[in-house]
Amino acid sequence: MNLTTENLFIDTGYSQCCHYGEKACGDAVAFKRIPAEERLLAVLADGLGHGLKANILALMTTTMALRFSAEDREIVHSAEIIMDSLPVCQVRQISYATFTIVDTRLGGITRVVEMGNPEFLLFRGGTVHPVDGVEFASPKYSDRTMTAYTFQAQPEDRVIFFSDGVTQAGLGSPHYPLGWRNSGVTEYVTSQLKNAPDISAQELSERILREAIAHEPGLRPADDITAACLYFRRPHRMLLFTGPPVDPARDAECAKLFRDFKGTKVICGGTSAEIISRELGTPLELVLDTISRDLPPMSRMEGADLVTEGIFTLSRAATYLEKGEQGRNDPAGKLAELMRRNDIIEILVGTKINEAHQDPNLPVDLELRRNIVKRIADALRNRYMKEVRITFV
C-alpha cells in the first residue's frame, strides 16, 4: 500500500497478531491513497478489549477516521462523532477505541494525530528524531485528550506507530515488569536500521511484531499486537515489456526504451524477448530447470532481470496479485514479487494480436493481452497502491 511522486515514495507495511485464544484481532489498520492530491492516509485503531467486539470498534474507527481525514474535517469534532457512533460495551458501559492517524501530502508534509495509542516514532538518519506535539482535549469527553504533531518528512525517514500491545509486551514478567515500552522499541528499531539501513517497511513491521511476541511469556500475546511503518524513500522503478508492436517498424524503438530504462527490467512473451534480443544483439537462452508443472520455463538475457512466457504467466501473476498470494516460486510468482518490490511500474504493451489466443476454448481473460494488463494494473493500484503507467504500441 504506497504513494509515489517523481522524487518521493512512501513504502508502507504493517503486521499484527491476535490476543492469545482469539481469532479476531481487536486492532485494525487502514490506508487510503488520494492520487489527485498526492496524499496518503493511514489509521491504526485499537478497540476496547479484544476479540470480535474490539474488532468491530477498531474497524468502525478506522473507516470513519479515514473518511473524516480525507475530507479535512476538524479533528476534535471528528473524534467526538467517532466516540458517539461506537457501540457501548455492555460490561464497562463505555464506547472506546484509541487511534493514530497519519496524513502525509505532496512534498512530505506530515501530520500525526494520536488519541490513547503509544507515541509514534520518527527515525531519521538511523536514530529516533524528536517531534514536538500539541495536546488538546474534547469539550464533550474531558477524559480523552489528543496530541497532534506536524513535521516535514525527508528521504529515508521512517514513521513507526503501534498499538499498546507492542509497548506492553511482556508486562508483569520478570524481565519486563513494565513491558517493552517505547524505549525498548526505539532501541530495537535503532539496531535493526543499523544492520539493514534499507529494510522495507513491511519487513521492519514484521520484525517489531515478532520481537514483541518474543517478550510474551510462552509466546502467548496477552493483548492484540499491531505495528505499522511508513518509509519515505526514492521510488524504485520497473519496466515490463510484453507483446510485439502492431507495426514492426517500432521494434527498434521498444528495444531502445528497454535498453535505456533505469530500474528493474522484465520481458513477458517469447516474441517480445526475441525482438529485444534481435534489436540489441543480446543472446537469449532458455533456462530448462525452471520448467514448472503448468507454466512454460523462463529465459535468460543480459540486461533483463526476468524473462518469461507471456499470456499464461501474466494471467497467473494477475491472480496472485489480486489474491495477495506471495512466496510462489514459479515464473508468475517471481513476476508478481518484482512488481510488489517496485513502486512505479511502466508497462509497454504491444498491440499486435496473437491469433493463437483467439481460440474460443481458451479462458476469456486470455482473449486479449490488454485485458490481463488491466487486471494487473488494477491490482497494483488498488491493493498495493503502486503507480502504474501503461503505454500501448
Side-chain angles (χ1 to χ4, degrees), residues 249-282:
R250 302 193 67 179
D251 288 359
E253 175 188 346
C254 293
K256 184 177 185 301
L257 286 171
F258 188 85
R259 181 195 64 197
D260 297 340
F261 185 80
K262 304 299 182 183
T264 301
K265 293 184 279 190
V266 176
I267 306 172
C268 290
T271 304
S272 306
E274 290 173 1
I275 289 173
I276 300 299
S277 174
R278 181 188 70 240
E279 295 294 330
L280 300 183
T282 306

Side-chain angles (χ1 to χ4, degrees), residues 103-393:
D103 182 354
T104 186
R105 305 180 184 232
L106 177 64
I109 299 172
T110 303
R111 188 187 191 207
V112 179
V113 178
E114 296 171 340
M115 188 184 77
N117 275 348
E119 185 175 343
F120 82 102
L121 301 174
L122 171 63
F123 278 82
R124 180 169 293 167
T127 60
V128 70
H129 183 78
V131 182
D132 294 330
V134 177
E135 190 174 285
F136 46 95
S138 162
K140 188 173 183 179
Y141 296 93
S142 58
D143 60 331
R144 306 188 188 175
T145 60
M146 287 167 277
T147 307
Y149 309 82
T150 302
F151 61 93
Q152 173 68 52
Q154 300 178 7
E156 300 306 311
D157 278 0
R158 298 172 190 268
V159 175
I160 300 172
F161 49 108
F162 32 82
S163 64
D164 60 7
V166 172
T167 53
Q168 295 180 11
L171 183 67
S173 65
H175 292 95
Y176 301 94
L178 300 178
W180 197 17
R181 310 181 72 183
N182 263 47
S183 57
V185 181
T186 299
E187 182 179 348
Y188 176 76
V189 173
T190 300
S191 68
Q192 295 302 304
L193 294 179
K194 181 178 180 180
N195 295 329
D198 59 349
I199 185 173
S200 71
Q202 183 62 37
E203 177 63 24
L204 183 56
S205 64
E206 289 175 0
R207 291 188 184 184
I208 294 172
L209 177 69
R210 290 196 296 268
E211 187 67 15
I213 296 174
H215 286 63
E216 296 283 5
L219 302 181
R220 297 182 175 184
D223 194 4
D224 302 297
I225 303 176
T226 301
C229 180
L230 305 183
Y231 178 19
F232 295 78
R233 58 170 170 75
R234 304 297 182 186
H236 298 164
R237 290 176 166 81
M238 171 179 162
L239 173 63
L240 168 62
F241 174 50
T242 179
V246 65
D247 183 358
R250 302 193 67 179
D251 288 359
E253 175 188 346
C254 293
K256 184 177 185 301
L257 286 171
F258 188 85
R259 181 195 64 197
D260 297 340
F261 185 80
K262 304 299 182 183
T264 301
K265 293 184 279 190
V266 176
I267 306 172
C268 290
T271 304
S272 306
E274 290 173 1
I275 289 173
I276 300 299
S277 174
R278 181 188 70 240
E279 295 294 330
L280 300 183
T282 306
L284 180 65
E285 177 186 356
L286 188 66
V287 184
L288 294 176
D289 59 1
T290 62
I291 295 177
S292 64
R293 183 173 57 184
D294 52 359
L295 285 177
M298 297 185 291
S299 297
R300 184 183 297 114
M301 180 192 299
E302 184 179 352
D305 296 278
L306 182 68
V307 182
T308 74
E309 176 273 340
I311 293 295
F312 292 101
T313 304
L314 286 169
S315 182
R316 180 72 58 80
T319 300
Y320 289 162
L321 292 170
E322 290 166 346
K323 294 183 177 180
E325 296 185 20
Q326 300 185 32
R328 300 285 184 151
N329 199 37
D330 58 20
K334 294 179 183 296
L335 173 59
E337 181 59 27
L338 284 178
M339 291 178 173
R340 278 189 286 259
R341 289 181 186 175
N342 286 277
D343 315 318
I344 300 176
I345 294 94
E346 300 191 25
I347 307 179
L348 189 61
V349 185
T351 55
K352 182 178 180 180
I353 295 177
N354 187 338
E355 289 78 6
H357 299 147
Q358 302 308 303
D359 186 337
N361 295 319
L362 291 175
V364 173
D365 65 350
L366 299 187
E367 184 177 336
L368 288 173
R369 187 183 304 265
R370 71 183 71 191
N371 292 340
I372 304 175
V373 169
K374 183 179 182 301
R375 285 177 54 200
I376 289 174
D378 288 345
L380 290 172
R381 289 167 177 153
N382 300 329
R383 189 180 184 95
Y384 302 95
M385 290 193 181
K386 306 292 186 181
E387 181 174 336
V388 183
R389 305 167 180 172
I390 303 175
T391 303
F392 295 99
V393 291

